[in-house]
Amino acid sequence: MRFTRVCAALTALGIFWAVPTSSHHNFSVAFDVERPVSVEGVVTGVKWENPHTWIYVEVKRDDEQLEEWQFESQPPNPLRRKGVTPRILKPGVTVTLKGYGTYDRSRTIAAANIIVFTSGESFSIGSGRQPPLTDDQ
């Protein structure tokens, strides 16, 4: 009887630990689907890491001042499967990134849905958890 209780307690504890590891923030908690954003700039860095790849871009404003923008994207493996690799997405490359802005109007963009290179090559890199953007947004 005591063995059964110990096994039940360990199982309950295992479930308790497993549940938080599978959770993830909801897209709409931080990002505004009513605020599509598109910026063109030079990639200054890329962090190829889980759970999100981060793309850092230097954008020239109308007054010629430079701003640093950051884009949250999918993990490295889905990006690689879609053709976006460290060989083509690297510092010094000029890109246009499209995604959704934050509620607080910071220069952080969610799930860069579309990435366009100056060569004209375009990749749809959205995860499907947020509304898709089109090339004209």
Side-chain angles (χ1 to χ4, degrees):
M1 185 72 159
R2 182 177 169 102
F3 178 75
T4 304
R5 287 186 182 161
V6 170
C7 286
L10 289 175
T11 300
L13 188 58
I15 291 171
F16 174 76
W17 278 336
V19 171
T21 61
S22 67
S23 66
H24 193 76
H25 63 86
N26 187 321
F27 169 81
S28 62
V29 169
F31 299 101
D32 186 355
V33 296
E34 300 296 321
R35 189 171 166 244
V37 176
S38 176
V39 299
E40 180 180 347
V42 177
V43 175
T44 59
V46 182
K47 287 187 181 177
W48 297 92
E49 60 189 26
N50 288 314
H52 299 284
T53 297
W54 284 90
I55 305 165
Y56 300 92
V57 178
E58 195 170 65
V59 176
K60 191 180 288 188
R61 299 186 326 202
D62 292 337
D63 65 1
E64 300 297 314
Q65 294 291 330
L66 296 176
E67 292 180 331
E68 185 76 23
W69 285 70
Q70 57 185 2
F71 293 81
E72 178 185 273
S73 189
Q74 291 189 38
N77 284 339
L79 290 179
R80 286 186 178 105
R81 283 193 299 270
K82 292 181 179 195
V84 180
T85 66
R87 186 180 58 77
I88 64 169
L89 183 60
K90 59 188 175 187
V93 173
T94 300
V95 295
T96 299
L97 290 161
K98 299 178 182 189
Y100 293 96
T102 58
Y103 289 107
D104 67 3
R105 304 277 184 207
S106 68
R107 291 185 300 267
T108 300
I109 305 301
N113 260 327
I114 298 172
I115 184 169
V116 182
F117 291 88
T118 54
S119 66
E121 196 170 22
S122 176
F123 295 88
S124 176
I125 59 173
S127 69
R129 281 181 263 168
Q130 67 278 351
L133 289 170
T134 60
D135 284 334
D136 60 341
Q137 282 183 303

